[in-house]
Amino acid sequence: MQINNISDREAMFFLSSLSELGYASKRAIYENIKPLYSIFEMNFENLKMKVKLREKQIKAVLGLKIKLNELHEKYLSLDERKIKFILPFEDEYPKKLLDLRDYPFGIFVKGDIPRQRKSVAIVGSRGASEYGLGMAKFIAQELATNDVDIISGMALGVDSMAHEGAVISKGKTYAVLGTGVNVCYPDSNFTLYNKLCDEGFGGVISEFPLGTNPLKFNFPIRNRIISGLADITVVIEARLKSGSLITATHAIEQGREVFALPGRITDCMSLGCNKLISDGAGIITSPTDILEALDLNVDKKIQVYNEKNANILAKNDKKVYSCLDLKPKYIDDIIKESALDISQVLSSLLLLELEGFIVQVSSNYYCKRLS
């Protein structure tokens, strides 16, 4: 191929295939080498004089020379694979990312590109409780209904529920991956991945080269992009040391607001959220709290669940219902708290479930149903 026919975007696409090059080195190359394609005509000494790179990085760049034809074919295949590669100075590049000190110098996008709309990142534990999963889905659903884009990382647990909530409301949701955009991880999220990439519900984004597998150290790196694409970051459930708190820290450093869902002080999954709140994060009592922080008009407070219909219940049913909240409770505890016998409790639980007041989240564990 003719080297002098390589555009800046294609040249940076070639360079993005190198794991040795980070944001700073890519930016240094872009700013110091003009035209950019001339980097592939340089020798070791030329390149060393032009850009301050480590010896390992220089060797990696020089090693691309024998792969140019192969990389050119991959670049040409992007359109066919419905993948975009976008540089920071191009119009399609998400403007919110440009506020970051270490914005990605080139992103891959499959599906839609985030627009300049209100957006909220929802993150939390992969092993969240049923309450945490339900709240992630509910909050995302309500925000998406109000035309707020949902950003997350498509991990199991809270991330997946946040994306699902946005999809239910036919909103837009974007997943920032720790893999290449053509790698679905985890495999169990393949249906969700297709909804984002191919069915118009949003898109997936990554700064990592195509084909990058789920390497453990990539996920903390991508978290700055999750918070960077959002006006507000919401943490649902998180341990004191977790990726979610890394994302919240990035958000704070980026000058973005952070909200957290309060939890019981005895629950390890709530310790991270409670610590954020004690440090000054906003407290979530309803999706309305987030909508108001986004300066969106809200006619009335969005209720998490509706108690008023409980007044129509019979005495025993009402007593059983009053024993429940949004945290799943075991049937033996319900029997003990209600002071009813097992047959009465089972009868009430069945009626409450059929009428939509409660949900059985697992065998013999019940909680109130979200709105």
Side-chain angles (χ1 to χ4, degrees), residues 96-121:
K96 289 175 185 175
L97 290 183
L98 293 176
D99 294 332
L100 310 191
R101 175 179 50 81
D102 52 353
Y103 58 82
F105 211 85
I107 56 171
F108 294 88
V109 178
K110 189 170 173 62
D112 296 334
I113 301 166
R115 298 158 289 175
Q116 282 294 97
R117 301 202 323 169
K118 300 289 186 180
S119 55
V120 169

Side-chain angles (χ1 to χ4, degrees), residues 114 119-126 133 136-137 140 143 148-166 172-179 185-186 189 192 196 201-206 219 222-237 243-244 247:
S119 55
V120 169
I122 299 179
V123 296
S125 174
R126 288 174 170 81
L133 297 176
K137 191 174 184 179
L143 294 178
V148 176
D149 291 344
I150 303 301
I151 315 294
S152 199
M154 214 172 76
L156 293 176
V158 167
D159 289 19
S160 296
M161 288 298 101
H163 293 305
E164 292 285 2
K172 290 285 188 178
T173 181
Y174 302 90
V176 183
L177 307 183
T179 63
Y185 177 78
N189 269 343
L192 176 61
L196 270 60
F201 288 103
V204 298
I205 300 160
S206 177
F219 292 91
R222 66 87 194 260
N223 288 351
R224 79 192 194 286
I225 302 177
I226 293 177
S227 58
L229 285 170
D231 300 301
I232 292 174
T233 292
V234 171
V235 184
I236 296 296
E237 283 185 345
S244 301
T247 307

